[in-house]
C-alpha cells in the first residue's frame, strides 16, 4: 500500500469515527434532556387531571372523563390536548387513571390493564410539590419507566390527599418526531461531512507526502560520482528538518568516506609505485647485464622490506577502519616496554639527549605486538625529525585512571596548517622537512588507530612551532 493511501485511509477513518462519536453523544444527550422534560410534562399533566369535585359514577368512565371540568378540558378535548402536549399521534399511546380509593378510578383506555400496570410499577424517583391549595400541601409526583407490549413507557403518578392521577406515555411515540428530525438532518449532514472528510484527507495526505517526494527526488540525484546534492531546510516543519539534517549529515559522512577512500587509494598506489619501480629497474638492469652476479641484492631486499612494512600498515589501517582489527589482549607492563624501546633507540642514535621519567609498574591490557609498534612509530619519528643536541623528553606516569606517555622533541618549525595534517595518511609534511628521510606517512595514523582500538587516544599537544609533543593515553589495569 502506498504511504499516501495509508494517510488518506487513516484520515477518513479518523474523521468518520469522530463524526459517529459526536452524533452518538449528541443524540444520547438530547434523549436525556428530552426524557427529563417528558417527566416534567407528565407530572404537570397528572397534576392537572386531579378533579376538584366528586366523580359521579365510577362505572361510567366516559361520563366521568367528560365531567372533569375542573381540569379545564374534558372528554375528547382532554385526550386531544394530552396527545398534542405529549407529542403522540394517537390516544392509544397514552394511559390515564384518575380517582381515589373511596370513589374509585376512571381509566383510559377503559379496562383493568391500567390499574394492573400501576400495581406492578417500581417508582424510581419522587418529587414533592408545593401546591397553592393548603389541603394538598403533601402532594408528591413519582416517576417510573416500564415495558408494556414490547414498548418502552414512562409514567408519572401524582398523589394529593386521598386522590391520585396517573399518566403514562409510549416513549417511542413521543420521540418519533425528534427521531425523524435527526434522520432528516443526517441525510444532509453525513454526505456533506464525508465530502469534507475526503477533501481534508486528500489535502493532509498531499501535504504530508510532499517533503518525502522532495527527499526521494534528491536521493535519485545522488550517484557514486556525485554526492554533492543536499536538501534545503527552509520552510520545512521541525520533524522534516530533523530528517533532512540526518540525510544531509549522512551524505557529508558518505562524501568524506568516498573522498578519503579515493585519496587513500591514490596515495597507496603512489607510495607503492616507487619501490616497485626501483625493483623493476634493478631487475631489468640484472637481465640486461652480461654479469648477473653484479645484481644488488641488498638494495632489492631493502625495497622488499619497505613494501612488506607498508603492506602490513595498510592492512592494519584497513582493519581499523572496518572495526575488525584483531587484538590479543594480555596484561602489558608499559614501563618495561618503554624502557626496552628507549634502550634500542639509544643504541641506534647516540646523538640524542634523553630526559626520561618512567614510573614503575604501569600496567595496561592490550596487544603486545600492536602496542610495541605504536611506541616504536613514535620513537622512530623522534629519531628521524628531532634536531641533534636537543633534549628529547619522554615521560610516562599514571594520571588518575589512565597511563599517560608524553614524548616531546625539538624539530624544524612546523606551521599550524601542517600540524593539523600530521595524522592524515600518507602525509609526511613539507618536502623541505622530509628531504632525504625515508617513510611512508602512515606511522602516526596507524599509531592513533592502535591507541583508539585499545580504548585510548594519541593526540598532538599544543606547543611552540619548533616543538612536537605527542600525548598517548591508555587505560590502566590494577
Amino acid at each position: 500500500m502506498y504511504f499516501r493511501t495509508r494517510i488518506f485511509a487513516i484520515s477518513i477513518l479518523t474523521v468518520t469515527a469522530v463524526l459517529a462519536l459526536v452524533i452518538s453523544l449528541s443524540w444520547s444527550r438530547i434523549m436525556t434532556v428530552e426524557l427529563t422534560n417528558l417527566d416534567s410534562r407528565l407530572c404537570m399533566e397528572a397534576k392537572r387531571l386531579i378533579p376538584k369535585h366528586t366523580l359521579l359514577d365510577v362505572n361510567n368512565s366516559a361520563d366521568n372523563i367528560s365531567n372533569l371540568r375542573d381540569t379545564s378540558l374534558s372528554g375528547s378535548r382532554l385526550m386531544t390536548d394530552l396527545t398534542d402536549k405529549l407529542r403522540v399521534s394517537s390516544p392509544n399511546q397514552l394511559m390515564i387513571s384518575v380517582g381515589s380509593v373511596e370513589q374509585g378510578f376512571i381509566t383510559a383506555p377503559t379496562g383493568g390493564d391500567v390499574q394492573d400496570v400501576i400495581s406492578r410499577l417500581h417508582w424510581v424517583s419522587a418529587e414533592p410539590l408545593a401546591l397553592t391549595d393548603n389541603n394538598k400541601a403533601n402532594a408528591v409526583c413519582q416517576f417510573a419507566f416500564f415495558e408494556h407490549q414490547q414498548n418502552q413507557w414512562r409514567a408519572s403518578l401524582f398523589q394529593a390527599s386521598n386522590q391520585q392521577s396517573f399518566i403514562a406515555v409510549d416513549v417511542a411515540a413521543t420521540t418519533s418526531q425528534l427521531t425523524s428530525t435527526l434522520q432528516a438532518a443526517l441525510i444532509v449532514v453525513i454526505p456533506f461531512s464525508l465530502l469534507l472528510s475526503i477533501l481534508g484527507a486528500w489535502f493532509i495526505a498531499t501535504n504530508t507526502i510532499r517533503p518525502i517526494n522532495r527527499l526521494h527526488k534528491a536521493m535519485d540525484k545522488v550517484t557514486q560520482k556525485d554526492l554533492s546534492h543536499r536538501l534545503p531546510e527552509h520552510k520545512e516543519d521541525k520533524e522534516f528538518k530533523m530528517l533532512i539534517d540526518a540525510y544531509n549529515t549522512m551524505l557529508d559522512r558518505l562524501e568524506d568516506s568516498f573522498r578519503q577512500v579515493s585519496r587513500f587509494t591514490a596515495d597507496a598506489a603512489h607510495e607503492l609505485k616507487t619501490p616497485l619501480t626501483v625493483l623493476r629497474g634493478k631487475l631489468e638492469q640484472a637481465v640486461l647485464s652480461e654479469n648477473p652476479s653484479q645484481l644488488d641484492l641488498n638494495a632489492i631486499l631493502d625495497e622488499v622490506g619497505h613494501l612488506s612494512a607498508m603492506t602490513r600498515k595498510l592492512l592494519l589501517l584497513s582493519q581499523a577502519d572496518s572495526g575488525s582489527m584483531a587484538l590479543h589482549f594480555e596484561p602489558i607492563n608499559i614501563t618495561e616496554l618503554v624502557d626496552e624501546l628507549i634502550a634500542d633507540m639509544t643504541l641506534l642514535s647516540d646523538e640524542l639527549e634523553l630526559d626520561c621519567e618512567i614510573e614503575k609498574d604501569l600496567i595496561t591490557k592490550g596487544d603486545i605486538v600492536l602496542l610495541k609498534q605504536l611506541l616504536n612509530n613514535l620513537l622512530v619519528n623522534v629519531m628521524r625529525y628531532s634536531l641533534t643536541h636537543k633534549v628529547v623528553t619522554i615521560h610516562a606516569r599514571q594520571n588518575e585512571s589512565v597511563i599517560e606517555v608524553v614524548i616531546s622533541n625539538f624539530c624544524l618549525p612546523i606551521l599550524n596548517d601542517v600540524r593539523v595534517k600530521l595524522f592524515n595518511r600518507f602525509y609526511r609534511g613539507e618536502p623541505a622537512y622530509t628531504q632525504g628521510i625515508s617513510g611512508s606517512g602512515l606511522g602516526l595514523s596507524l599509531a592513533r588507530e592502535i591507541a583508539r582500538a585499545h580504548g585510548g587516544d594519541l593526540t598532538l599537544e599544543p606547543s611552540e612551532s619548533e616543538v612536537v609533543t605527542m600525548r598517548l593515553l591508555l587505560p590502566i589495569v590494577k
Side-chain angles (χ1 to χ4, degrees):
M1 177 183 290
Y2 288 104
F3 185 55
R4 183 199 298 269
T5 306
R6 188 188 301 276
I7 295 177
F8 183 82
I10 291 175
S11 300
I12 289 290
L13 291 176
T14 302
V15 172
T16 303
V18 171
L19 183 62
L21 181 62
V22 169
I23 292 175
S24 300
L25 293 177
S26 299
W27 176 247
S28 176
R29 181 59 184 167
I30 290 172
M31 287 302 297
T32 301
V33 173
E34 178 64 19
L35 292 177
T36 301
N37 293 335
L38 177 61
D39 289 341
S40 299
R41 292 199 302 271
L42 286 174
C43 180
M44 183 178 64
E45 296 302 328
K47 171 186 170 184
R48 200 158 59 94
L49 287 177
I50 293 292
K52 295 183 178 179
H53 302 288
T54 304
L55 298 175
L56 297 177
D57 185 358
V58 299
N59 297 320
N60 192 337
S61 300
D63 290 343
N64 284 324
I65 290 178
S66 65
N67 288 329
L68 294 176
R69 297 186 178 88
D70 297 332
T71 62
S72 301
L73 298 170
S74 63
S76 59
R77 291 185 56 196
L78 172 63
M79 299 303 293
T80 302
D81 182 64
L82 289 175
T83 300
D84 293 339
K85 290 182 176 179
L86 296 178
R87 301 173 186 172
V88 295
S89 57
S90 168
N92 293 331
Q93 295 165 335
L94 294 173
M95 291 185 189
I96 298 175
S97 174
V98 183
S100 65
V101 176
E102 295 80 9
Q103 298 174 347
F105 295 93
I106 56 175
T107 61
T110 305
D113 288 342
V114 177
Q115 291 302 323
D116 182 60
V117 167
I118 295 174
S119 64
R120 289 187 286 106
L121 287 182
H122 174 67
W123 301 98
V124 295
S125 62
E127 177 183 348
L129 299 176
L131 302 179
T132 53
D133 187 347
N134 292 333
N135 294 330
K136 300 175 182 177
N138 297 324
V140 64
C141 197
Q142 301 181 80
F143 304 98
F145 57 89
F146 60 97
E147 183 175 344
H148 179 68
Q149 294 180 348
Q150 299 181 346
N151 291 327
Q152 296 295 324
W153 292 65
R154 295 186 79 89
S156 176
L157 178 66
F158 179 81
Q159 291 176 307
S161 299
N162 60 342
Q163 294 183 331
Q164 67 178 38
S165 59
F166 170 83
I167 184 168
V169 65
D170 188 344
V171 174
T174 192
T175 58
S176 60
Q177 184 178 1
L178 192 62
T179 304
S180 300
T181 302
L182 177 64
Q183 291 176 347
L186 290 180
I187 290 175
V188 177
V189 170
I190 288 180
F192 185 69
S193 299
L194 288 177
L195 178 61
L196 290 180
S197 301
I198 292 173
L199 293 177
W202 178 83
F203 179 77
I204 292 173
T206 301
N207 281 275
T208 303
I209 207 72
R210 186 174 300 163
I212 300 176
N213 287 335
R214 284 202 295 273
L215 183 62
H216 179 255
K217 291 179 181 177
M219 288 180 174
D220 282 345
K221 296 179 181 177
V222 177
T223 63
Q224 187 177 358
K225 296 181 179 178
D226 188 3
L227 298 172
S228 60
H229 291 282
R230 300 291 185 272
L231 285 181
E233 300 179 358
H234 64 278
K235 297 183 180 179
E236 295 293 350
D237 295 330
K238 186 175 181 179
E239 292 80 1
F240 283 104
K241 281 185 177 180
M242 295 171 62
L243 180 62
I244 290 172
D245 284 343
Y247 172 76
N248 288 338
T249 303
M250 180 195 69
L251 276 185
D252 289 339
R253 291 198 299 266
L254 195 60
E255 191 174 21
D256 289 341
S257 298
F258 270 82
R259 190 181 299 116
Q260 185 176 0
V261 169
S262 178
R263 185 174 62 249
F264 182 81
T265 304
D267 292 341
H270 176 75
E271 293 298 326
L272 292 172
K273 180 180 178 182
T274 302
L276 288 174
T277 303
V278 173
L279 280 176
R280 179 173 180 174
K282 291 186 176 299
L283 290 174
E284 287 178 349
Q285 183 180 5
V287 171
L288 297 176
S289 175
E290 297 179 355
N291 185 10
S293 61
Q294 295 180 354
L295 182 62
D296 190 354
L297 294 179
N298 289 330
I300 294 176
L301 188 60
D302 289 342
E303 294 301 331
V304 171
H306 181 60
L307 283 174
S308 176
M310 185 180 295
T311 304
R312 171 178 165 75
K313 291 177 180 178
L314 290 174
L315 178 61
L316 289 173
L317 286 171
S318 174
Q319 291 175 345
D321 290 341
S322 62
S324 59
M325 183 179 284
L327 300 174
H328 303 285
F329 282 99
E330 58 180 321
I332 298 174
N333 191 324
I334 293 295
T335 302
E336 296 179 355
L337 184 58
V338 173
D339 287 339
E340 178 186 347
L341 293 175
I342 290 175
D344 296 341
M345 183 178 175
T346 305
L347 291 176
L348 294 174
S349 176
D350 53 358
E351 296 179 349
L352 293 176
E353 297 181 11
L354 299 179
D355 175 17
C356 301
E357 293 182 9
I358 313 298
E359 287 187 8
K360 295 184 179 300
D361 299 328
L362 297 175
I363 308 298
T364 188
K365 197 170 185 179
D367 188 302
I368 181 64
V369 176
L370 294 178
L371 288 181
K372 191 172 183 177
Q373 173 148 17
L374 187 161
L375 292 169
N376 188 64
N377 288 350
L378 297 179
L379 296 179
V380 167
N381 281 344
V382 168
M383 289 188 294
R384 284 176 176 171
Y385 301 104
S386 180
L387 298 179
T388 57
H389 307 299
K390 291 288 187 179
V391 177
V392 176
T393 303
I394 302 176
H395 292 174
R397 65 188 182 94
Q398 177 179 346
N399 186 359
E400 297 181 352
S401 61
V402 297
I403 297 173
E404 182 183 59
V405 180
V406 178
I407 302 175
S408 181
N409 64 280
F410 287 90
C411 61
L412 295 176
I414 302 177
L415 300 177
N416 289 331
D417 293 342
V418 176
R419 287 176 176 268
V420 298
K421 300 178 183 177
L422 288 182
F423 287 99
N424 291 352
R425 296 171 186 179
F426 296 108
Y427 184 75
R428 300 187 56 202
E430 295 297 324
Y433 299 158
T434 59
Q435 188 173 10
I437 302 176
S438 62
S440 62
L442 295 174
L444 282 180
S445 178
L446 179 59
R448 185 171 64 176
E449 295 298 338
I450 293 174
R452 290 177 176 177
H454 285 76
D457 202 0
L458 176 65
T459 56
L460 174 64
E461 296 297 294
S463 62
E464 298 176 359
S465 60
E466 65 274 12
V467 175
V468 172
T469 302
M470 290 290 174
R471 183 168 178 258
L472 171 65
L473 298 178
L474 293 172
I476 197 167
V477 175
K478 296 182 178 178

